[in-house]
Amino acid sequence: ADGLLVTIVSIGAPLTQALYFWGRVATGDPYPFSAIGALPRFVCMGMMIYILWNEIGDKSLGPGLAALKLLILSLAAKLFMSFGIRVAKVEGEKKENASSAQLNVAEYEGIFTAIFLFLYLKKADGLLVMIVSIGVPLTQALYFWGRVATGSAMPFAPIGALPRYVCMGILVYILYNEIGNMSVGPGLAAVAVVFLSLAAKMFMSFGIRVANVEGEKKQNASKAQLNVAEYEGLFTAALLFLHVQKDAGTLVTIVSIGLPLTQAIYFWGRVATGSPMPFSPIGSQAIYFWGRV
């Protein structure tokens, strides 16, 4: 894809990310860089939706349209949080519930979008592809807007979350079959990252929340899961890109082994010990190394 809009978002998206974070760090205050970074970022995201709509030739129910729906839902949720909650100065339980719901769906957006765009490029089809192409955007919408409408986690947190786990499991299976070459490489690494993501999320739901685990153990596991979730979408997108490009070599092999391994070490190491030490620095420093590679 090329053209003026593609050039604008190719420059604008990284620039707004940098302005938002480093501007706030430099000033020690949300203003003015919170608004300076966020508002153009919404515009860039809207442009991306328009570009993707034009780039996806097949608008039938499938992975291409599913990726587009996820971006629209993501932008809608973010705009609601900015203008419907923060600008409107909503406080208390309503704000906490909406914020928690938006952060939850945001965990999945990157990894789901990367997978669906990959499946679109691979021209994947079939019943399972159709199910997840409908189910994933639907569960994301139900989770966020259901919680916003009711002002509570119940009943839409489990209504959205449980089918989402099923869809994610199906996506792991589809991805495994679509990769084809199961030798050590970026394709298999992407499958491993998605599988580890699902395992960590299910552990938090059933091993922590359903089991009513509280205190330091819950706090440690929650922080560990949120940390690895930050990287999952980026890692999955990069690894699937390398697979599509058929890139190979020593460095590709190193990151294909290292990225899933460090994700597993960071999360499950912290869960096993019940503490950030020593697996927080062991996992995070290794992640930074693989990222630089």
Side-chain angles (χ1 to χ4, degrees):
D2 56 14
L4 179 61
L5 289 183
V6 174
T7 302
I8 290 172
V9 296
S10 297
I11 297 170
L15 181 61
T16 54
Q17 290 285 85
L19 281 171
Y20 188 99
F21 179 76
W22 293 108
R24 288 187 61 169
V25 167
T27 60
D29 189 83
Y31 294 100
F33 285 98
S34 177
I36 290 172
L39 296 177
R41 192 166 54 185
F42 291 148
V43 175
C44 286
M45 203 167 177
M47 289 181 183
M48 287 180 186
I49 290 168
Y50 176 77
I51 293 166
L52 196 59
W53 170 261
N54 288 325
E55 286 295 321
I56 293 171
D58 183 7
K59 299 296 193 303
S60 60
L61 291 175
L65 189 58
L68 185 64
K69 289 176 182 177
L70 286 171
L71 280 177
I72 293 170
L73 287 168
S74 175
L75 178 58
K78 288 169 171 55
L79 284 168
F80 176 80
M81 285 303 303
S82 290
F83 297 101
I85 299 294
R86 297 187 188 99
V87 172
K89 296 184 178 178
V90 174
E91 297 295 338
E93 187 178 347
K94 186 176 179 181
K95 180 180 180 179
E96 288 180 18
N97 173 67
S99 178
S100 175
Q102 193 269 319
L103 290 173
N104 183 282
V105 293
E107 275 188 40
Y108 294 82
E109 291 165 354
I111 201 165
F112 282 158
T113 304
I115 294 172
F116 281 125
L117 290 176
F118 170 76
L119 294 178
Y120 175 77
L121 291 175
K122 294 284 285 184
K123 295 180 169 56
D125 57 12
L127 179 60
L128 290 181
V129 174
M130 180 70 72
I131 289 171
V132 294
S133 296
I134 297 171
V136 168
L138 181 60
T139 56
Q140 288 283 86
L142 282 171
Y143 189 99
F144 179 74
W145 294 106
R147 287 188 59 171
V148 166
T150 60
S152 171
M154 299 301 287
F156 284 98
I159 288 173
L162 297 177
R164 194 167 53 185
Y165 291 147
V166 174
C167 287
M168 201 167 179
I170 295 172
L171 282 171
V172 172
Y173 174 77
I174 294 170
L175 201 58
Y176 180 87
N177 288 328
E178 287 294 327
I179 293 298
N181 181 10
M182 283 298 121
S183 59
V184 174
L188 184 60
V191 176
V193 168
V194 178
F195 175 79
L196 287 168
S197 173
L198 176 59
K201 288 169 171 42
M202 290 189 72
F203 176 81
M204 284 304 302
S205 288
F206 299 104
I208 299 294
R209 297 187 189 100
V210 173
N212 291 322
V213 174
E214 298 294 338
E216 188 177 346
K217 185 176 180 180
K218 179 181 180 179
Q219 188 177 13
N220 173 67
S222 179
K223 287 182 178 179
Q225 191 268 318
L226 290 174
N227 184 282
V228 293
E230 283 185 35
Y231 296 86
E232 291 163 355
L234 291 172
F235 286 167
T236 303
L239 290 167
L240 289 175
F241 175 79
L242 293 175
H243 177 75
V244 169
Q245 295 295 107
K246 296 182 170 57
D247 285 329
T250 303
L251 290 182
V252 174
T253 302
I254 289 172
V255 296
S256 296
I257 297 170
L259 292 181
L261 182 62
T262 51
Q263 289 284 86
I265 287 172
Y266 188 98
F267 178 74
W268 294 106
R270 286 189 60 168
V271 166
T273 59
S275 170
M277 301 300 290
F279 288 100
S280 178
I282 289 173
S284 60
Q285 292 303 314
I287 287 171
Y288 298 149
F289 171 75
W290 304 128
R292 287 198 298 270
V293 170

